[in-house]
Amino acid sequence: MSDLSEFWYTEYTMSKKYGYWHTEFELFGPLHWFWLIACVVFTVVISAWYRKASEKVRKRIRLSIAMFVLLFEISRIIMELITDQWHVSSLPIQLCSIGVFICTWHAIHPNKLAGNLLYALSMPGAALAMLSPSWTMLPLWNFNHLNSELGHIVLFSYPVMLIAGGFRPELKELPKVLAILATMCVAVTPINEIYNTNFFFLGDPYGNVITSFCTSIFGENLFVIGYAIMLAIVMAMLYAPFEILRRRASHK
């Protein structure tokens, strides 16, 4: 491991070498702003292209983007295995990693459930990750830094692109989305407890900005209650505009 270039270091390896609080770039510093702006620009460009494209071209765009982000996820796992850096926390069962497979599913077989999962879970999850990245200990010239930034940009832009192309999230799909989310949360809980991981940010009350805020109000043992309240607020903000427009259209 000592001979391994830091280009291949993971967050786990970097924190072991330099300490948990080591950072290579600051939140809302120049590099962070560069990626946030890049996300906005890419989202606008791909959405505008998708909106004007024919259905044949749209299918190619969806598949290209899905294969792109799937390649990122697979290459990350292969890299960690080859460099002997694989850790239980590397399992592709974090919300955004699961979003990669949902994105691929939708690209191959467009359907309402997948579209709503991407809109309700992957898009806000990717936005939160971009706004408060967990890879601040990784420099720009690092495989996982580039992988994480580009992958989250794609996960955020894909559902926005679908909406630009006419997809409309439906409130009636939300119970299915929440049921799937609850199932995934239950599934990762024993893994978090056994291996001290933080999948779905349920293992560490200070795992990100949102859970830290919830912990400050509800305490370390009940921060999940605040997490659920925040989730309800986000869901309401995401679905209310489309539901209002749908009801107005039905009354015309």
Side-chain angles (χ1 to χ4, degrees), residues 52-70:
K52 297 179 180 179
S54 65
E55 184 52 41
K56 183 177 181 180
V57 174
R58 286 184 177 188
K59 183 177 181 180
R60 290 177 179 174
I61 294 173
R62 291 195 302 268
L63 287 171
S64 296
I65 291 177
M67 293 303 104
F68 184 70
V69 74
L70 181 62

Side-chain angles (χ1 to χ4, degrees), residues 232-248:
I233 294 172
V234 171
M235 293 299 105
M237 292 174 62
L238 289 174
Y239 278 86
F242 291 103
E243 188 62 21
I244 291 171
L245 290 173
R246 184 174 290 108
R247 292 189 179 188
R248 285 181 178 177

Side-chain angles (χ1 to χ4, degrees), residues 3-133:
D3 297 329
L4 185 66
S5 167
E6 289 190 359
F7 175 80
W8 301 109
Y9 272 24
T10 65
E11 297 96 312
Y12 182 74
T13 303
M14 189 69 82
S15 63
K16 282 182 64 178
K17 182 175 181 179
Y18 294 108
Y20 183 79
W21 300 109
H22 173 77
T23 58
E24 289 285 341
F25 67 96
E26 300 296 327
L27 291 180
F28 300 104
L31 182 58
H32 190 196
W33 274 113
F34 166 78
W35 285 116
L36 292 175
I37 294 171
C39 180
V40 173
V41 172
F42 179 79
T43 301
V44 170
V45 171
I46 198 68
S47 297
W49 182 23
Y50 190 80
R51 181 183 181 88
K52 297 179 180 179
S54 65
E55 184 52 41
K56 183 177 181 180
V57 174
R58 286 184 177 188
K59 183 177 181 180
R60 290 177 179 174
I61 294 173
R62 291 195 302 268
L63 287 171
S64 296
I65 291 177
M67 293 303 104
F68 184 70
V69 74
L70 181 62
L71 177 63
F72 274 3
E73 187 66 19
I74 294 174
S75 64
R76 177 188 66 81
I77 296 171
I78 293 175
M79 182 278 291
E80 292 180 8
L81 289 171
I82 291 176
T83 59
D84 196 28
Q85 294 185 93
W86 191 89
H87 185 261
V88 175
S89 60
S90 301
L91 286 169
I93 53 176
Q94 192 59 276
L95 183 60
C96 288
S97 293
I98 293 173
V100 170
F101 301 106
I102 298 173
C103 183
T104 304
W105 172 33
H106 182 276
I108 296 172
H109 178 62
N111 62 90
K112 291 181 180 180
L113 179 56
N116 278 272
L117 284 167
L118 290 169
Y119 175 74
L121 301 181
S122 296
M123 186 183 72
L128 176 61
M130 292 290 294
L131 289 169
S132 181

